[in-house]
Amino acid sequence: MKKILTSIAVICITLSVGSKHINAQPQISVNPAEITRELSYMQHDTVNITITNNGSSQLKWNTILSYNSKSENSEAYFASGNTLYKFILDNPADVTATGYSAVANISSLCYVDGMIYYLLYNDIYRIFGRFNTVSGASEIIKFELTSVALAYDPVSGNLYGCNTFTNNATLYCINRSTGTETAVANINNITTIGISFDRNGSCYILDDAGNIKPFNIGTGSIGNPIHTIQGFTANYGDSNAMTCDFETNTLYCTSVDMEDYKTQLFSLDLDSGTFSYIGKFPVFCNGLAVTSSIGWMNVEPVFGVVEAGESITVAMRLNGGWAESGTFNATCSIVNNTGNAVGIPVTMAIATENIPGDVNLDGIVNVLDIQTVVDYICGNSPSVFDFDNADVNGDSTVNILDLVLIINMVF
């Protein structure tokens, strides 16, 4: 799989409000009117976003993000016992073992910037660690955490944990480098068994009755259910399996079918409210993580106020994630306090990572690339042949010297 690291682009936008008549509504002007960014491997592009109120009254604004396309590689991960698996979100029946087996049962997963952060449970305490989805390496960060469930907020960039299965739970902010937990909120009078954030940084909790409810971290208030999963059961360890695909702003959660005791996968589109049953896992599932959990477009903050004659600076982030190369489209709408909106088309193009020696573009350098170069040198026409990757020594010619270098890479 061709991989790209998280790429961040912040684009300059200027909003202005003017009024010629006392009853005239504010008018929004946007610069640029269209956003296009080509991101390459490990690229980071940063530009300020300026919102200016040139009118004579207060400007209130907010953003609405609409996605027309998402990453083709919607890989997700789940845990079963001490084994980590990956699967495609649309088909939970088709799973592949990653080859990683933990020293204890995995109780929760969370994807952040190419890493699967996990909690292990050994009947005494939680162990906090992470798994590199690219290299396959893993490391233990800290022992004896209080948290049971993990969730990532793409707006603040914070990793959170929650001690679930208690009527008065505590939400912690977890340092990803040290595993240090800092209490930030209490979730009272409800048995919390799972947490997640959407792409705009809003927090949701899943209770033991299958209710998905919004939770305000600042005030500690719990809202009314946005959906109740019918026939939901919190038995058999499926309690921590709730996560969000930030590209589509869709929550994914699991529940055990009490007839055959298999884990079911559900989705809830937070924009449309559509709830769907997707399918069942072939083995028991006790943790979910979606590789798009960093999202590929975010605005921070998502709303605000600009006083007359003043300006503020906000940021739009375009995140390539670990997606396949390709082009992705969305619209960022800026809405003012009178309901007027301007839609900004956003296009993000992800360039293919150049791998010297990967002549057939399958993402690795092996004997197939050697054979492909031999065919090219002998005058044949390989069906897939990347000249730049074949020209290993950079002399603008593909010959026996490049073949020798590729052979050395393989052997």
Side-chain angles (χ1 to χ4, degrees):
M1 181 178 66
K2 304 179 185 69
K3 298 173 282 292
I4 60 98
L5 285 181
T6 300
S7 303
I8 300 176
V10 185
I11 296 83
C12 184
I13 301 176
T14 301
L15 305 185
S16 60
V17 178
S19 177
K20 293 183 178 180
H21 305 285
I22 189 170
N23 294 323
Q25 295 181 344
Q27 299 297 315
I28 299 177
S29 62
V30 178
N31 180 34
E34 183 176 354
I35 296 170
T36 300
R37 282 294 183 274
E38 295 182 0
L39 307 179
S40 59
Y41 186 66
M42 296 184 68
Q43 179 186 4
H44 298 269
D45 186 15
T46 302
V47 183
N48 289 331
I49 297 177
T50 303
I51 299 178
T52 303
N53 181 2
N54 293 323
S56 58
S57 60
Q58 188 183 73
L59 167 65
K60 296 180 180 179
W61 62 274
N62 66 278
T63 58
I64 299 176
L65 307 181
S66 302
Y67 289 76
N68 304 323
S69 59
K70 66 188 295 292
S71 296
E72 294 298 326
N73 180 41
S74 300
E75 282 188 341
Y77 290 78
F78 76 97
S80 181
N82 67 339
T83 303
L84 186 64
Y85 295 85
K86 63 180 179 180
F87 69 103
I88 302 301
L89 276 173
D90 294 337
N91 185 15
D94 186 8
V95 305
T96 304
T98 63
Y100 173 68
S101 295
V103 297
N105 287 333
I106 304 173
S107 64
S108 185
L109 301 174
C110 187
Y111 177 87
V112 185
D113 295 343
M115 294 286 185
I116 296 289
Y117 289 86
Y118 56 76
L119 292 170
L120 308 180
Y121 181 55
N122 67 351
D123 295 327
I124 300 176
Y125 47 75
R126 294 294 190 276
I127 301 171
F128 179 60
R130 59 188 172 191
F131 169 80
N132 190 311
T133 60
V134 179
S135 68
S138 64
E139 61 177 318
I140 299 299
I141 300 174
K142 187 178 180 180
F143 292 85
E144 301 186 28
L145 262 70
T146 303
S147 297
V148 178
L150 297 175
Y152 177 67
D153 178 3
V155 174
S156 67
N158 292 329
L159 180 67
Y160 289 91
C162 181
N163 56 331
T164 62
F165 273 111
T166 173
N167 195 44
N168 293 289
T170 301
L171 186 68
Y172 299 91
C173 183
I174 302 177
N175 186 302
R176 281 184 273 162
S177 299
T178 65
T180 302
E181 294 174 298
T182 303
V184 295
N186 293 321
I187 309 176
N188 296 323
N189 302 316
I190 183 173
T191 303
T192 303
I193 62 174
I195 58 172
S196 185
F197 290 82
D198 67 12
R199 67 182 173 210
N200 294 321
S202 298
C203 182
Y204 297 87
I205 59 177
L206 175 66
D207 68 17
D208 59 346
N211 296 307
I212 301 175
K213 300 179 178 180
F215 175 69
N216 189 308
I217 296 178
T219 63
S221 60
I222 301 172
N224 295 324
I226 61 172
H227 187 81
T228 299
I229 305 173
Q230 299 300 317
F232 179 84
T233 175
N235 296 331
Y236 301 100
D238 63 321
S239 58
N240 306 321
M242 186 167 75
T243 189
C244 186
D245 181 346
F246 294 137
E247 290 184 304
T248 59
N249 209 29
T250 301
L251 282 178
Y252 289 87
C253 54
T254 62
S255 176
V256 172
D257 186 334
M258 297 305 292
E259 292 186 1
D260 58 11
Y261 299 100
K262 288 188 176 181
T263 305
Q264 307 169 98
L265 180 64
F266 300 94
S267 68
L268 175 62
D269 188 317
L270 293 172
D271 294 330
S272 68
T274 302
F275 185 81
S276 304
Y277 167 80
I278 300 176
K280 295 181 180 179
F281 293 95
V283 295
F284 185 77
C285 169
N286 57 336
L288 284 176
V290 181
T291 57
S292 64
S293 60
I294 53 174
W296 72 261
M297 181 176 67
N298 295 98
V299 177
E300 181 184 355
V302 296
F303 62 89
V305 174
V306 185
E307 300 297 336
E310 297 184 1
S311 300
I312 63 171
T313 299
V314 298
M316 172 182 282
R317 300 184 297 173
L318 299 183
N319 303 311
W322 292 88
E324 293 280 358
S325 59
T327 301
F328 310 102
N329 302 296
T331 301
C332 175
S333 297
I334 309 296
V335 184
N336 72 358
N337 45 296
T338 62
N340 292 329
V342 175
I344 309 169
V346 181
T347 300
M348 180 182 69
I350 304 298
T352 301
E353 176 189 358
N354 291 324
I355 304 176
D358 178 24
V359 183
N360 63 359
L361 297 177
D362 63 357
I364 58 175
V365 180
N366 55 24
V367 292
L368 297 179
D369 298 295
I370 296 175
Q371 183 61 52
T372 302
V373 173
V374 170
D375 288 343
Y376 176 82
I377 293 175
C378 293
N380 299 324
S381 299
S383 58
V384 179
F385 182 81
D386 187 278
F387 186 91
D388 291 335
N389 286 350
D391 182 21
V392 179
N393 63 1
D395 63 356
S396 300
T397 302
V398 176
N399 53 29
I400 191 68
L401 297 178
D402 299 293
L403 178 61
V404 171
L405 291 175
I406 296 175
I407 292 173
N408 289 338
M409 291 179 185
V410 175
F411 296 103

